[in-house]
Amino acid sequence: MGANTSQVSDLSESQSIRNLIGPDAISENEPFWNQLISFTFTSPTCSADAKLLEEAVVPLAKTLIQNNPRSGNFGALVRVFLSRTKELKISTECQDQLFIWQAHNALFLVRCLLKVFIREMNEEELHLQFSYQERAPGTYDSICKDLLEELVCNLVHLIVEVPLLDITYNILFEAVTTLLVLLSYQLFHKEVLREGLIYGYLTRGRCLSLTSRLVKTLLYNFIRQEKCPAATHVLQTQSDGGGLLYGLASGVASGLWSVFTLGGVSSRPGAEQDQNPLPLSNQSLLLLLVLANLTDGADCPNPYRQAVTCFKNTQDSSSLPSPQPHTFQINFNSLYTALYEQQKSDQVTLLLYTLLHQNSNMRTYILSRTDMENLVLPILEILYHVEERNSHHVYMALIILLILTEDDTFNRSIHEVMLKNISWYTERVLTEISLGSLLILVVIRTIQFNMTRTRDKYLHTNCLAALANMSAQFRNLHQYAAQRIIRLVNQQLKHNKVLEQATQSLHGPLGADDRTVLPDYAQDLNVIEEVIRMMLEIINSCLSNSLHHNPNLLYALLYKRELFEQFRSHPSFQDIMQNLDTVIGFFSQRLEQAGSDLSVERVQEVIKKGAAALPKERLKKFPELKFKYVEEEQPEDFFIPYVWSLVFNSGVGLCWNSQGIELFSMDSP
């Protein structure tokens, strides 16, 4: 690249780059390498700049692929980088910024070339590109290290050993990004990959002992949410005009940090505004999700999933050794804070789901928090804006609620948390409402959206399961939440009647020449009946377990009591209607005794007194409504394409040509 190269358009004109990709071998001991990696270049963070870089690198990398078997220059570049990683920790302690800068540049070049190599060749062919090297005539290198394995192991060592400081921020970012690139073979395969060279390097052998440290470091990178360091505070121009390593002019030093800022400081005016202000945090989380979702090997379980599953709180004073491998401790309070502060992104929601579902220590901790609203409100906001979210993000948010509602303490406590003026809830002004009532409103809204738009049975089943889990602990429901419960039953009944009429019309005579394919309404009818049945069970569960705590639901039920008369003769609902009939009949009689033209306040007073007077033995006992989330068989078929779609869409400074992607369709999230 050379010291003067600073734009993508300069790449193909650079003499240093042309020498690197050319047919002539360059010994790794030559001064050329110092010149090559002493460049100033703003690494892209926005997608437009990443695309420009990708387009510029592809033809250069293809030329190198042709010439590398003769020159071995790619292997030499990798060895130049590896020779510098050995000194990185010392360089950090000595604040040797130039050394770190050059090591970063070398890795940046390796990463850009690797990204094209991976698209152009399989792992075995990639392995060969690392093994080509210059040899003097008549000599034989009997000790040939596996250079690809060396690179993978050095990247892991770099991430876990080098502390996160201003001067190391971007080489750590580059190391994380390069590991993502090395794992990106999955993008170009429709089937889930279950083995491979790079998979083996990361899950067995030398990297295995660093598993827990790597997972812990990636989590802390996410937790710390460090922004790109500002250039002015990091690298100062030498005032005497000389003295920089390798004889670089001081004029170069003033631009050195532009490569570190990843476009955050020196981005041009009017540039695409999709820069991620937290590139290391974002990239570390993506790498963690990729590693945690690797499939189990034929002879060993995925060690990264094991680490994610069993880590503990630093406050856990238990002295008992953990039976699980790869366990470690991390500050749960800091992790919890980062989870709720960043919850609007797909990848953070997926991390929260992973921890709740797989790590019992973290789940217990989250459920013990007294500030649960901090975590639940962002999840509800995701569901409230369902039409703006991709389906996978909505699924994850909903399953998180389902997992939380499996806990009765959670179901009770959310009705005790009072909220004021929820700004994102725009359908109605809610000056004061409990977290539990808000949750009910948002889940019902999601059901309604699904029934009228997407008609996804999986979605409404999980929505209803969450409401069912909560129903026995409903407390002091907001009047609007109570109304929406009854209104949902009413809406589904109307849909049911329309579909029944449409289905009956299909049985009429058809003209002999009429070959129109008529819609089949039977499935929709079954779905609507399921929704009605479950909503009646939810109402019944509330009345059976906490009738006296829910006067607003009783009021709404009595106000619309004629609606429920239609269910008595329906074979699907007769059994569940027994208790509702008992309650409606009991309170209707008491209201009649209280006189006609009753005010709202008087009706509510009658309901409250009646709730205390209704004998519980008059209500039939039904099995407790409890649903538990269970992952599908082979969950990797869902999660691996999902994780890589997140890398594809939100990896910082990474751009892939969509034409070569096989793992998911391009309309996937």
Side-chain angles (χ1 to χ4, degrees):
M1 233 176 212
N4 296 322
T5 301
S6 59
Q7 298 180 53
V8 169
S9 58
D10 296 333
L11 283 174
S12 59
E13 305 299 322
S14 165
Q15 185 60 49
S16 297
I17 292 293
R18 281 188 282 176
N19 290 343
L20 172 68
I21 67 176
D24 298 327
I26 306 168
S27 169
E28 59 200 79
N29 299 316
E30 290 189 25
F32 163 83
W33 297 103
N34 289 331
Q35 180 188 359
L36 176 73
I37 60 178
S38 298
F39 59 83
T40 58
F41 187 88
T42 303
S43 302
T45 54
C46 76
S47 55
D49 288 348
K51 185 179 179 183
L52 286 175
L53 177 63
E54 177 81 356
E55 290 170 350
V57 169
V58 167
L60 303 174
K62 287 183 176 180
T63 302
L64 180 60
I65 290 170
Q66 293 174 347
N67 291 326
N68 191 49
R70 211 178 337 163
S71 71
N73 284 343
F74 179 71
L77 172 62
V78 172
R79 284 189 292 274
V80 166
F81 165 69
L82 293 178
S83 69
R84 281 160 169 73
T85 61
K86 296 170 185 174
E87 309 293 335
L88 270 178
K89 202 168 182 185
I90 297 172
S91 301
T92 303
E93 292 169 359
C94 299
Q95 296 284 302
D96 190 343
Q97 297 166 21
L98 273 175
F99 191 93
I100 297 168
W101 165 63
Q102 289 197 322
H104 168 276
N105 286 357
L107 182 54
F108 175 71
L109 285 174
V110 169
R111 186 256 286 186
C112 289
L113 293 168
L114 272 176
K115 191 161 172 294
V116 182
F117 285 10
I118 286 169
R119 187 172 188 130
E120 296 292 319
M121 61 189 77
N122 61 36
E123 275 192 311
E124 290 71 24
E125 293 167 332
L126 177 72
H127 197 240
L128 281 176
Q129 293 292 334
F130 279 83
S131 62
Y132 299 133
Q133 64 184 89
E134 176 198 20
R135 290 191 177 90
T139 63
Y140 176 70
D141 188 354
S142 60
I143 306 174
C144 185
K145 287 184 178 179
D146 184 338
L147 197 58
L148 177 53
E149 183 178 15
E150 282 291 309
L151 176 62
V152 171
C153 291
N154 268 269
L155 291 173
V156 174
H157 269 282
L158 194 161
I159 293 167
V160 302
E161 294 283 354
V162 175
L164 175 53
L165 307 169
D166 279 359
I167 59 172
T168 62
Y169 186 100
N170 291 280
I171 194 166
L172 290 171
F173 168 82
E174 203 58 55
V176 170
T177 304
T178 306
L179 280 179
L180 270 178
V181 167
L182 283 165
L183 287 159
S184 67
Y185 269 109
Q186 180 63 79
L187 279 171
F188 309 105
H189 291 79
K190 195 166 187 65
E191 72 282 0
V192 169
L193 297 181
R194 299 176 186 276
E195 264 298 341
L197 275 174
I198 295 158
Y199 176 98
Y201 296 148
L202 285 166
T203 58
R204 293 185 288 273
R206 292 161 56 193
C207 287
L208 187 61
S209 63
L210 295 172
T211 295
S212 59
R213 291 183 65 193
L214 179 57
V215 170
K216 183 176 183 176
T217 302
L218 294 174
L219 274 173
Y220 268 126
N221 286 350
F222 163 67
I223 288 169
R224 289 176 65 174
Q225 303 286 315
E226 293 283 353
K227 294 184 179 180
C228 285
T232 53
H233 299 303
V234 181
L235 196 59
Q236 302 297 329
T237 304
Q238 296 252 339
S239 58
D240 59 1
L244 295 184
L245 196 59
Y246 307 127
L248 292 174
S250 62
V252 175
S254 62
L256 294 184
W257 199 248
S258 63
V259 73
F260 292 154
T261 63
L262 298 170
V265 174
S266 57
S267 57
R268 63 188 184 279
E272 186 178 343
Q273 294 301 306
D274 62 349
Q275 282 117 348
N276 189 313
L278 307 168
L280 179 60
S281 174
N282 179 78
Q283 223 83 325
S284 295
L285 178 52
L286 290 173
L287 177 58
L288 175 63
L289 291 171
V290 167
L291 291 172
N293 284 282
L294 292 174
T295 57
D296 291 334
D299 55 352
C300 64
N302 173 4
Y304 300 98
R305 184 182 294 122
Q306 288 180 313
V308 166
T309 299
C310 66
F311 67 79
K312 297 181 177 180
N313 193 356
T314 50
Q315 305 301 312
D316 184 355
S317 57
S318 170
S319 59
L320 295 174
S322 174
Q324 298 105 330
H326 312 299
T327 189
F328 61 91
Q329 288 187 309
I330 199 165
N331 188 306
F332 277 15
N333 182 58
S334 300
L335 179 54
Y336 178 81
T337 302
L339 283 168
Y340 74 70
E341 286 182 346
Q342 302 295 318
Q343 197 49 239
K344 288 184 181 179
S345 80
D346 280 73
Q347 47 265 43
V348 180
T349 304
L350 180 54
L351 175 63
L352 175 58
Y353 159 79
T354 303
L355 296 178
L356 275 172
H357 178 57
Q358 297 184 9
N359 190 311
S360 58
N361 302 318
M362 191 68 195
R363 181 170 62 251
T364 300
Y365 175 83
I366 288 174
L367 288 167
S368 71
R369 295 284 303 205
T370 57
D371 60 346
M372 185 62 74
E373 67 275 13
N374 287 334
L375 191 71
V376 174
L377 280 171
I379 297 294
L380 295 183
E381 191 172 355
I382 291 167
L383 289 175
Y384 186 78
H385 295 114
V386 57
E387 60 277 348
E388 299 169 16
R389 303 288 178 176
N390 67 70
S391 60
H392 288 8
H393 198 186
V394 172
Y395 284 153
M396 290 299 100
L398 189 53
I399 293 168
I400 286 167
L401 288 185
L402 179 54
I403 293 171
L404 292 173
T405 61
E406 291 171 15
D407 183 78
D408 283 343
T409 303
F410 170 84
N411 294 332
R412 285 192 294 272
S413 64
I414 55 174
H415 292 288
E416 297 167 3
V417 178
M418 298 308 296
L419 308 168
K420 293 187 177 181
N421 302 317
I422 308 300
S423 59
W424 48 262
Y425 193 96
T426 56
E427 290 177 30
R428 175 168 171 160
V429 176
L430 300 173
T431 53
E432 187 171 72
I433 189 170
S434 72
L435 180 60
S437 288
L438 181 65
L439 194 158
I440 292 166
L441 283 173
V442 172
V443 171
I444 286 176
R445 185 178 185 275
T446 307
I447 294 172
Q448 290 172 319
F449 174 84
N450 181 54
M451 297 300 289
T452 57
R453 305 274 192 90
T454 55
R455 300 191 175 196
D456 184 334
K457 183 175 179 180
Y458 182 83
L459 192 65
H460 86 250
T461 299
N462 282 284
C463 284
L464 291 167
L467 289 177
N469 283 348
M470 296 168 59
S471 59
Q473 276 85 35
F474 283 173
R475 294 289 187 277
N476 300 313
L477 292 187
H478 190 281
Q479 61 180 16
Y480 188 52
Q483 291 166 11
R484 297 294 291 203
I485 289 172
I486 305 302
R487 193 182 303 174
L488 178 60
V489 178
N490 191 21
Q491 287 172 337
Q492 297 311 307
L493 182 62
K494 288 178 180 177
H495 291 322
N496 191 64
K497 286 182 177 177
V498 170
L499 288 179
E500 281 181 341
Q501 290 169 2
T503 304
Q504 289 166 6
S505 71
L506 296 184
H507 300 311
L510 294 174
D513 296 325
D514 189 354
R515 299 179 183 179
T516 306
V517 178
L518 292 169
D520 180 9
Y521 295 103
Q523 185 176 351
D524 282 349
L525 267 173
N526 289 337
V527 168
I528 288 174
E529 282 194 8
E530 284 177 16
V531 174
I532 294 173
R533 167 79 192 188
M534 183 60 77
M535 289 305 299
L536 292 176
E537 289 189 7
I538 288 166
I539 294 169
N540 176 67
S541 173
C542 175
L543 297 179
S544 300
N545 292 282
S546 53
L547 179 143
H548 58 292
H549 288 299
N550 289 289
N552 285 330
L553 182 62
L554 281 168
Y555 184 94
L557 185 68
L558 292 168
Y559 187 74
K560 286 285 187 180
R561 53 184 176 268
E562 73 283 352
L563 165 67
F564 295 91
E565 293 173 5
Q566 303 167 66
F567 297 130
R568 291 194 184 99
S569 58
H570 198 296
S572 298
F573 311 132
Q574 282 178 328
D575 60 333
I576 202 70
M577 279 302 300
Q578 291 182 42
N579 283 347
L580 271 69
D581 274 343
T582 298
V583 170
I584 290 171
F586 176 82
F587 282 95
S588 295
Q589 185 180 20
R590 293 183 75 93
L591 287 172
E592 287 174 10
Q593 292 172 353
S596 57
D597 297 327
L598 299 176
S599 65
V600 172
E601 291 76 14
R602 177 63 181 138
V603 171
Q604 289 174 334
E605 184 184 334
V606 171
I607 287 172
K608 286 179 182 177
K609 288 182 178 178
L614 176 64
K616 285 189 177 181
E617 59 271 14
R618 289 181 60 180
L619 299 179
K620 180 184 174 183
K621 285 286 184 185
F622 283 85
E624 185 181 18
L625 285 182
K626 273 297 172 186
F627 295 87
K628 187 175 178 63
Y629 169 72
V630 179
E631 270 188 352
E632 303 275 347
E633 288 185 29
Q634 296 185 304
E636 63 271 17
D637 291 342
F638 172 85
F639 285 101
I640 289 178
Y642 180 31
V643 169
W644 277 104
S645 72
L646 297 179
V647 177
F648 180 87
N649 286 310
S650 57
V652 178
L654 291 171
C655 173
W656 281 277
N657 186 331
S658 60
Q659 290 181 348
I661 305 301
E662 294 286 339
L663 183 61
F664 48 81
S665 61
M666 297 319 296
D667 58 355
S668 294

